[in-house]
Amino acid sequence: VQLQASGGGLVQAGGSLRLSCAASGRTFGNYIMAWFRQAPGKERDFVAVINWSGGSTYYTDSVKSRFTIFRDNAKNTLYLQMNSLKPEDTAVYYCAAGSLYTRTSSTYAYWGQGTLVTVSS
């Protein structure tokens, strides 16, 4: 499956952004989907994961109650709604597809190219 992330940009602290990840090539609904992020000079970190149907989600503690992961299998698209953004959310955000419901990046076989989110204070 090929993944194309979009929706990043520059936003002030407290603002919102919605990231999208368009999938093509294979049946989107067969994959567990996740978002990861990588801040400058840091390792890639888990953000959120969603199961095949969208009925189960899990978030890293730092984004709980602020971010929402959801998917539209009819549109082959994954989303990340980010509210109450903080400067520490600044990173390149990556979408990933895999077959396991985990927060471990090595278990995801397919990755998008990343989209940059910059939050100014």
Side-chain angles (χ1 to χ4, degrees), residues 52-69:
W52 301 278
S53 67
S56 180
T57 58
Y58 180 78
Y59 300 89
T60 194
D61 286 348
S62 62
V63 308
K64 284 180 181 176
S65 78
R66 299 190 299 121
F67 290 11
T68 302
I69 185 172

Side-chain angles (χ1 to χ4, degrees), residues 68-88:
T68 302
I69 185 172
F70 60 103
R71 65 193 296 166
D72 186 335
N73 287 346
K75 295 183 177 180
N76 292 341
T77 305
L78 172 74
Y79 302 95
L80 185 69
Q81 178 66 42
M82 304 186 295
N83 299 329
S84 302
L85 282 161
K86 304 175 180 180
E88 51 265 42

